[in-house]
Amino acid sequence: MIIGITQSMLLKEIKKIYYTVKPLRFEQIWFRLFYSVKKPNVQQVSNDGLESFSWGWSGPTIFQQSLFDKNNVIYLSLEGRVVNPSSWNDPTKSKLWLYNLHYFDDLSSITYQEREKQHYGFINRWIEENPPCLGNGWEPYPLSLRLVNWVKWFSKKETVEQKHLISIAQQASGLSQQLEYHILGNHLFANAKALTFVGVFLKGKDANNFLNLGLKLLDREIKEQFLADGAHFELSPMYHEILLWDLLELIDLAKTSQNSQLLERLDSWELVAVKALQWLGSMVHPDGEVSFFNDAAIGIAASPAEIFNYANKLGIKYKISLNLLTTNHGSGYSRVQNENYTLLFDHANVGPDYLPGHAHADSLSFELSVGLQRVFVNSGTSLYGVSKERLRQRETAAHNTVVVNGQSSSEVWSGFRVARRAYTKLLKAEENSNNVILSASHNGYERLKPKVTHTRTINASTDSFIITDELTIKTEAEFNLHVHPDVEVKQLDETSLELKLVNKTKLILTSSQTCLIRQSTWHPEFGKSIPNYKIIIPFANGKLTTEIKITKE
């Protein structure tokens, strides 16, 4: 019996790995193997002769202060101290926290001008205490973000010491030898952006090589990563913000530096930015922040308002037109907006097949705002890494959709892995007078025995909407609805609930089955966990109808 269980578990694990690896691109597998044996080798740079171009960065600064004196820092809402060389790789801190330590975002903070002496001290410490190619700071992603922050900051100085120019050149060399082809997506884009910034800042043959490599990658990745409707292809509104901000900074860099190679690409970059701005506008809640589909949280990326302001400053002409129904066919999201509420519906796939690392099992989930108040919310993202909580936040039960037989619609596992995943199909997106009908299905549960297909139809009118969930067979299932912490939930009877908003608006939820109220948590920012309620509505057969009416006192 023990042997049988062990063999069964082993087979399950093998299948999970197989379905995870199968969609990967050859270059991802090849470079993961290549980098496991080939380590970067940064050569010494001469102490004289390095020069930089004399342009000065004037783009917006958006980050909150994270460096408070020579030792004290705050990242992801968690305090820390950098007291000795080992602090840069403190094993008691999470990988993401250590990455943030090495980003040097404080150089681009709103109040950066108040701490020039501290910044020089912190930069010099980093150079002295992080020898080439050792530790978290020399991994390609933190290298990329730090290089951009350093270049922007040093470009504003009248003179730059050789040791700082040498360090920038060495870091760019280290980055160029470990480009993230094994990951791709936003990581490779960040690598390309960093090499482009360095190549435009430094003079010389090496700088030209960095620039040419960065632009070659950007030419490939901008075309790949921004979809026809403007969405970033990883389908996370948060990462869309990050990549759109990156694109705007590249546009700014072209105009500021007047580099001829960047100026050649300026028109095409602006065309992509226009579509990306329009897509972002369709995914923002009335409170001004993005919706929580896939990995998403507030405070990591520039806010939508900051992004739109930046685009305006750069003179990019765009128009956000939000109708009663807005459907982004390329990415798979729809927005219903009327005088009473805004509803965002996810009929997207989990992301590109070869890169689902930031995907959640949230197929056919939705979010709702009434006025400026969020009401139904997906649970958000408060942490990365490998943990039970990270997995829980990615699973279907943490989203406003249907769980079948206790399983998630896509097999999310570890911190950034997906095995078998759901594929969605938009069946209907129709607008008629003041009514909207949206219908979509996904096949994520067809891996179960017996196979199950989930279809969700949303029939939205001015002051109410009806959600009809249908399964192809009768089986154990439940509809999870997560309620914003500021919304009061009251049981009226077995199948009805009252939700009361801060502005006294009420929503009456009525279902065809029993409604249960349970404790849960909401995660609007990294490092934050806020108690809230979730509503669970079990299926009694293969169909569930839930109506939500909005009333005002």
Side-chain angles (χ1 to χ4, degrees), residues 315-383:
I316 297 174
K317 305 299 182 184
Y318 65 97
K319 184 179 180 181
I320 298 172
S321 299
L322 298 176
N323 303 313
L324 175 61
L325 172 63
T326 302
T327 296
N328 296 308
H329 289 278
S331 53
Y333 293 95
S334 287
R335 178 191 189 96
V336 178
Q337 179 173 313
N338 60 36
E339 61 191 55
N340 288 315
Y341 63 84
T342 300
L343 184 149
L344 295 158
F345 180 43
D346 173 3
H347 46 85
N349 292 331
V350 300
D353 266 345
Y354 65 86
L355 188 62
H358 292 294
H360 288 203
D362 59 1
S363 298
L364 306 189
S365 66
F366 76 98
E367 292 199 317
L368 178 77
S369 283
V370 174
L372 298 179
Q373 175 66 62
R374 296 193 189 208
V375 179
F376 296 121
V377 290
N378 286 328
S379 292
T381 306
S382 69
L383 76 171

Side-chain angles (χ1 to χ4, degrees), residues 237-511:
M238 180 181 78
Y239 277 93
H240 180 88
E241 290 176 309
I242 292 170
L243 272 291
L244 176 52
W245 187 267
D246 285 343
L247 183 59
L248 294 178
E249 288 200 325
L250 288 165
I251 291 169
D252 198 346
L253 182 65
K255 294 182 176 183
T256 300
S257 69
Q258 288 295 296
N259 180 279
S260 59
Q261 289 180 266
L262 271 64
L263 290 172
E264 289 174 5
R265 294 164 168 81
L266 186 57
D267 288 345
S268 63
W269 287 354
E270 288 186 341
L271 287 174
V272 174
V274 167
K275 287 187 176 182
L277 288 161
Q278 292 168 338
W279 189 89
L280 177 61
S282 73
M283 298 298 291
V284 172
H285 277 276
D287 64 7
E289 286 290 354
V290 291
S291 43
F292 288 0
F293 298 106
N294 293 317
D295 275 341
I298 295 167
I300 296 297
S303 70
E306 290 168 334
I307 292 171
F308 295 136
N309 288 339
Y310 194 10
N312 293 335
K313 178 188 173 186
L314 292 172
I316 297 174
K317 305 299 182 184
Y318 65 97
K319 184 179 180 181
I320 298 172
S321 299
L322 298 176
N323 303 313
L324 175 61
L325 172 63
T326 302
T327 296
N328 296 308
H329 289 278
S331 53
Y333 293 95
S334 287
R335 178 191 189 96
V336 178
Q337 179 173 313
N338 60 36
E339 61 191 55
N340 288 315
Y341 63 84
T342 300
L343 184 149
L344 295 158
F345 180 43
D346 173 3
H347 46 85
N349 292 331
V350 300
D353 266 345
Y354 65 86
L355 188 62
H358 292 294
H360 288 203
D362 59 1
S363 298
L364 306 189
S365 66
F366 76 98
E367 292 199 317
L368 178 77
S369 283
V370 174
L372 298 179
Q373 175 66 62
R374 296 193 189 208
V375 179
F376 296 121
V377 290
N378 286 328
S379 292
T381 306
S382 69
L383 76 171
Y384 282 166
V386 180
S387 67
K388 289 182 179 180
E389 178 59 17
R390 165 65 173 161
L391 183 59
R392 186 194 70 80
Q393 291 178 19
R394 297 180 71 208
E395 291 177 330
T396 299
H399 304 84
N400 299 322
T401 188
V402 173
V403 175
V404 174
N405 290 335
Q407 300 293 309
S408 287
S409 55
S410 293
E411 286 185 296
V412 292
W413 64 281
S414 188
F416 300 95
R417 303 283 184 261
V418 183
R420 289 172 288 185
R421 69 284 311 261
Y423 293 94
T424 63
K425 183 178 181 181
L426 180 63
L427 304 174
K428 183 180 291 187
E430 293 182 357
E431 173 185 353
N432 182 14
S433 184
N434 292 324
N435 283 29
V436 169
I437 297 177
L438 287 166
S439 184
S441 65
H442 77 76
N443 65 357
Y445 295 123
E446 290 184 9
R447 71 180 192 272
L448 305 180
K449 294 181 180 179
K451 296 180 178 180
V452 181
T453 301
H454 174 208
T455 300
R456 167 165 282 183
T457 301
I458 299 176
N459 194 326
S461 59
T462 303
D463 58 0
S464 68
F465 59 95
I466 299 172
I467 300 171
T468 304
D469 289 301
E470 296 177 276
L471 306 176
T472 47
I473 64 168
K474 180 179 178 180
T475 187
E476 180 185 341
E478 62 182 31
F479 175 20
N480 291 266
L481 267 172
H482 297 261
V483 183
H484 189 277
D486 291 340
V487 176
E488 296 179 20
V489 183
K490 178 183 176 183
Q491 191 101 36
L492 297 178
D493 56 42
E494 193 175 67
T495 59
S496 300
L497 301 172
E498 178 187 87
L499 288 80
K500 190 173 183 181
L501 312 190
V502 174
N503 66 2
K504 307 304 181 183
T505 298
K506 292 182 180 179
L507 284 74
I508 304 298
L509 183 152
T510 304
S511 179

Side-chain angles (χ1 to χ4, degrees), residues 55-61 108 112 148 151-156 193 197 245 248-254 256-257 310:
W55 53 267
W57 183 257
S58 60
T61 54
S108 299
Y112 78 96
V148 172
V151 167
K152 290 190 293 188
W153 191 79
F154 278 117
S155 75
K156 301 172 188 177
K193 177 188 175 185
F197 264 77
W245 187 267
L248 294 178
E249 288 200 325
L250 288 165
I251 291 169
D252 198 346
L253 182 65
T256 300
S257 69
Y310 194 10

Side-chain angles (χ1 to χ4, degrees), residues 96-206:
L96 184 60
W97 192 95
L98 291 171
Y99 266 25
N100 275 264
L101 172 63
H102 288 275
Y103 292 163
F104 276 73
D105 281 343
D106 201 70
L107 299 179
S108 299
S109 65
I110 298 167
T111 57
Y112 78 96
Q113 292 175 313
E114 300 173 4
R115 294 181 295 285
E116 184 178 52
K117 184 177 179 180
Q118 287 175 249
H119 288 153
Y120 270 118
F122 214 56
I123 288 170
N124 291 336
R125 280 190 64 188
W126 189 92
I127 294 172
E128 294 166 5
E129 297 175 356
N130 291 272
C133 306
L134 294 176
N136 291 286
W138 284 88
E139 294 181 20
Y141 194 72
L143 267 174
S144 298
L145 273 61
R146 181 176 58 254
L147 279 169
V148 172
N149 282 325
W150 281 27
V151 167
K152 290 190 293 188
W153 191 79
F154 278 117
S155 75
K156 301 172 188 177
K157 310 302 179 187
E158 289 187 10
T159 60
V160 184
E161 292 183 46
Q162 281 293 303
K163 68 177 180 181
H164 298 135
L165 294 176
I166 288 169
S167 181
I168 290 172
Q170 287 181 325
Q171 291 178 58
S173 175
L175 173 60
S176 68
Q177 296 175 56
Q178 48 179 338
L179 297 171
E180 294 178 273
Y181 292 113
H182 59 301
I183 296 177
L184 300 175
N186 73 86
H187 280 245
L188 190 59
F189 197 104
N191 302 162
K193 177 188 175 185
L195 291 173
T196 302
F197 264 77
V198 173
V200 171
F201 180 58
L202 296 181
K203 294 181 179 180
K205 181 180 177 181
D206 287 342

